[in-house]
Amino acid sequence: MRVYNFSAGPSMLFEDVLKEAQASFLDYENSGMSVTEMSHRAKVYDGIHNECLALFTELMKVPDDYQVLLLQGGASQQFDAIPLNLISATGKADYVVTGNFANLAYKSAKKYGDIALAASSEDKTYTYIPKVTIDSFRKDASYVHITSNNTIFGTRWKEFPETPCPLVADVSSEILSRDIDVSKFGLLYAGAQKNISAAGLTVVIVRKDLIGKELPICPTMLAYKTQADKNSLYNTPPAFSIYIAMLTLRHIKKMGGISAINKINVEKAAMLYDFIDNSTLFKNYVNKEDRSIMNVPFVTGSEELDAKFVKEAAANGLVSIKGHRLVGGMRASIYNAMPVEGVKKLIEFMKKFELENK
Ligand SMILES: *Cc1c(COP(=O)(O)O)cnc(C)c1O
């Protein structure tokens, strides 16, 4: 039996995508083989690779002066790749630290230049997004880095900041969930395992004029130019993950695109927050206007009850709802592929749990 999987990542994929992958697993489009077995130089693979790139470009309305790169190494690898590729402009970069991943990106960058902490929400355990203006950033920074959705703490930048230089955002846990104006950014990046595909693929969308400026010490495989010049086929790509991404993108297109899916996401999140805000047992500590619509953390106030909730939820087919080890409690990740029905089931279960544990 399939369960509702509230994991923060890897997370649920659309059932249609899984079924289609299953149906063509042994023999993809009469090639006589699986996508996991075929040469990345074969024509049949070219179709998958290029459709994936084209669908990203179409659905995210990627302008002509940007390039989509299909990479490996996870979002975490970009914590080094970004400074290595972008800091050469002035040797300086500014970071806003709004959570654990933002902090890891900030710490990695420090190896490569003069890195400033422009703002942080650590003072209140990352329960809000700091207010920044263009004056929060150094005029001579090469770029400003933010984490658009904070997976562990459940916050997100509703509006993006004005910056005096290219804005770079880690969109790992919200890519494809809402319309993002790519032209406002120098670079966007995301690990695939939350809202796109199976793990193994990292998507980078970068403005073309920022490619080819890597530091001399930049490893060949981390330089954007290496893959940009070769249509992301410099070496063997994570073909299966790219294939699943292509199926996911096709599915989103069929649903009406990103704005259509965003509507459903907003509804799902509103239902859950509304229940929590009216609950006598469950609480969400995030500043209301900064709440994520992808990751919803909540607590009962008792560690014992939290543990009981996680256990009983799992027994009811609502799995991986335990909060991150850094914050405890619970966290429901309700990415694109989490059906409305899954959120309704969760709320029903929370209601029942609340009554039974007064
Ligand atoms: C999950 C996550 C990461 C880490 O991704 P990996 O692909 O495992 O390296 C980084 N940033 C954010 C915002 C995430 O949610």
Side-chain angles (χ1 to χ4, degrees):
M1 184 195 77
R2 283 194 49 88
V3 293
Y4 292 111
N5 174 9
F6 291 89
S7 170
S11 38
M12 286 185 85
L13 292 165
F14 292 109
E15 200 163 303
D16 283 1
V17 166
L18 295 174
K19 281 183 177 152
E20 165 116 30
Q22 181 184 45
S24 64
F25 195 72
L26 291 178
D27 180 7
Y28 180 74
E29 299 214 329
N30 298 319
S31 62
M33 63 179 90
S34 159
V35 176
T36 57
E37 301 169 296
M38 63 182 54
S39 164
H40 57 293
R41 308 290 173 202
K43 214 174 159 71
V44 60
Y45 176 71
D46 254 357
I48 295 170
H49 195 86
N50 290 327
E51 185 177 338
C52 183
L53 287 166
L55 283 170
F56 263 116
T57 305
E58 180 186 341
L59 292 173
M60 291 189 67
K61 304 182 184 74
V62 178
D64 286 346
D65 54 335
Y66 286 74
Q67 188 164 354
V68 181
L69 303 176
L70 305 175
L71 310 177
Q72 304 192 47
S76 305
Q77 184 157 280
Q78 294 305 312
F79 299 167
D80 287 278
I82 287 160
L84 280 164
N85 280 276
L86 304 185
I87 207 164
S88 70
T90 64
K92 299 178 180 182
D94 289 2
Y95 279 67
V96 182
V97 172
T98 50
N100 181 57
F101 292 116
N103 194 37
L104 293 175
Y106 167 60
K107 287 206 292 213
S108 279
K110 283 183 172 181
K111 298 194 288 277
Y112 307 106
D114 172 358
I115 306 299
L117 181 63
S120 164
S121 51
E122 196 189 359
D123 60 336
K124 290 186 185 159
T125 6
Y126 303 119
T127 49
Y128 71 104
I129 298 290
K131 296 262 184 285
V132 294
T133 66
I134 194 158
D135 297 322
S136 310
F137 308 109
R138 293 179 293 182
K139 290 203 171 48
D140 59 347
S142 302
Y143 64 92
V144 167
H145 181 281
I146 64 166
T147 309
S148 73
N149 183 81
N150 296 280
T151 323
I152 296 174
F153 297 93
T155 63
R156 70 144 177 186
W157 291 78
K158 195 165 180 197
E159 314 280 349
F160 297 111
E162 293 292 329
T163 51
C165 56
L167 178 60
V168 171
D170 178 353
V171 291
S172 291
S173 50
E174 71 155 351
I175 189 170
L176 306 173
S177 74
R178 63 164 159 162
D179 279 310
I180 289 179
D181 181 356
V182 176
S183 73
K184 287 217 152 61
F185 296 84
L187 185 148
L188 294 163
Y189 67 103
Q193 68 275 19
K194 282 146 193 171
N195 238 349
I196 307 172
S197 181
L201 167 67
T202 308
V203 178
V204 169
I205 303 172
V206 57
R207 214 172 64 205
K208 286 178 183 164
D209 65 301
L210 298 173
I211 299 173
K213 305 221 161 110
E214 67 278 2
L215 295 175
I217 59 157
C218 182
T220 305
M221 282 302 295
L222 295 196
Y224 297 134
K225 190 169 169 37
T226 302
Q227 293 288 11
D229 283 352
K230 302 284 182 192
N231 192 34
S232 301
L233 283 164
Y234 172 81
N235 70 325
T236 317
F240 190 70
S241 184
I242 291 170
Y243 166 60
I244 297 292
M246 177 196 78
L247 294 180
T248 298
L249 293 164
R250 273 187 191 167
H251 185 82
I252 293 174
K253 184 174 172 179
K254 213 166 68 186
M255 288 177 74
I258 293 178
S259 51
I261 218 158
N262 175 253
K263 251 194 188 158
I264 302 170
N265 288 331
V266 168
E267 270 171 41
K268 285 188 300 191
M271 269 197 301
L272 187 50
Y273 283 121
D274 191 51
F275 170 74
I276 293 171
D277 288 342
N278 289 301
S279 161
T280 52
L281 180 63
F282 299 104
K283 275 193 180 52
N284 165 281
Y285 284 111
V286 173
N287 198 21
K288 275 192 187 167
E289 67 189 79
D290 300 324
R291 282 173 165 177
S292 167
I293 61 165
M294 295 280 100
N295 310 98
V296 181
F298 55 94
V299 293
T300 62
S302 145
E303 272 183 37
E304 220 171 283
L305 265 190
D306 287 351
K308 188 176 175 205
F309 180 89
V310 169
K311 199 171 154 210
E312 288 182 10
N316 281 274
L318 308 164
V319 311
S320 296
I321 204 155
K322 192 168 180 221
H324 192 276
R325 64 195 137 72
L326 285 175
V327 291
M330 282 74 72
R331 169 180 49 176
S333 295
I334 48 174
Y335 296 119
N336 281 350
M338 170 61 66
V340 176
E341 198 49 38
V343 176
K344 285 187 176 159
K345 279 260 157 62
L346 171 62
I347 294 171
E348 267 170 45
F349 176 74
M350 288 169 82
K351 271 185 194 158
K352 185 166 156 277
F353 189 88
E354 183 175 298
L355 281 174
E356 289 168 359
N357 294 277
K358 268 200 172 145

